[in-house]
Amino acid sequence: RYELASMSIDERLKLIQARVWDGVNDPRIRKLALQITRSCGRDDGACEAQRVFDYVKANVRYTGDIGPVLNPKTGKVEAIDLYQKPWVTLEYGGGDCDDHVGVIGSLLTVIGHTVRLRVSASSRFGDWEHIYPVTLLPKHAPKLARAVDTTLPWNAKLGSEAKYGKARDYTIEAPV
């Protein structure tokens, strides 16, 4: 749960990376990833990425976090950013962009993909406002980064990205 406006993007990314790590260590995520990609060829990472994209797009609704509400402890009206574990997002069937990242990042990672977390801002000088996963393809000799953003409008396809003024990629690392 993120409530501190002063928290840096690097600190927030550590929380999101930890949620992906939770999913990587959850056997239900591995089982689901194998079921989703069952029809893909042995080393067909593009097929796997497409199947994961389609599954999450169809089963995890994009929704915002908790809107501004009066915090009785501080007396201030605050918005709250929740960071759900991937299985919780799947069970609830919804979450915001960081929740989608947890699900997609862990589903792809447990089947061998190298995944990066891309944060973006709509303008070069704006605040960071969006995050989505990027998978590297082909799986065993990556040359191409492909966006896997399931939070874009329903007609968006695998590889689609919203226009941005700046972006930064983060690796998925085990929490220390």
Side-chain angles (χ1 to χ4, degrees):
R1 176 173 165 152
Y2 157 71
E3 296 178 40
L4 301 174
S6 62
M7 187 180 278
S8 74
I9 189 66
D10 292 330
E11 291 171 309
R12 291 166 61 189
L13 256 294
K14 284 186 188 303
L15 295 173
I16 296 168
Q17 287 167 322
R19 295 299 66 81
V20 175
W21 185 248
D22 290 337
V24 166
N25 288 287
D26 186 334
R28 297 171 295 185
I29 295 291
R30 172 119 171 116
K31 180 180 180 183
L32 179 61
L34 293 170
Q35 290 171 340
I36 292 168
T37 60
R38 177 178 321 190
S39 65
C40 297
R42 179 179 151 175
D43 293 318
D44 192 348
C47 175
E48 292 172 341
Q50 184 67 57
R51 295 291 183 276
V52 167
F53 176 87
D54 292 343
Y55 180 87
V56 174
K57 195 85 163 149
N59 293 285
V60 181
R61 178 178 168 261
Y62 175 77
T63 185
D65 275 331
I66 298 173
V69 64
L70 179 66
N71 182 333
K73 292 179 186 174
T74 66
K76 296 179 182 175
V77 174
E78 303 172 6
I80 299 172
D81 198 3
L82 300 174
Y83 295 102
Q84 298 174 158
K85 290 185 177 188
W87 194 257
V88 171
T89 300
L90 288 164
E91 183 180 348
Y92 290 179
D96 68 353
C97 58
D98 48 70
D99 301 319
H100 280 245
V101 162
V103 171
I104 296 163
S106 57
L107 284 169
L108 289 173
T109 299
V110 298
I111 55 173
H113 284 252
T114 300
V115 177
R116 301 285 182 257
L117 309 180
R118 181 168 291 163
V119 293
S120 65
S122 53
S123 74
R124 213 170 83 179
F125 303 105
D127 290 334
W128 302 108
E129 56 199 41
H130 187 46
I131 184 168
Y132 53 96
V134 174
T135 189
L136 304 182
L137 296 171
K139 272 171 57 171
H140 302 296
K143 295 180 176 103
L144 170 70
R146 196 103 189 254
V148 191
D149 190 350
T150 53
T151 68
L152 296 174
W154 285 104
N155 58 353
K157 302 197 178 334
L158 177 70
S160 297
E161 293 181 85
K163 291 185 183 196
Y164 54 81
K166 66 179 177 180
R168 184 186 302 168
D169 286 358
Y170 290 80
T171 60
I172 295 176
E173 300 169 356
V176 253

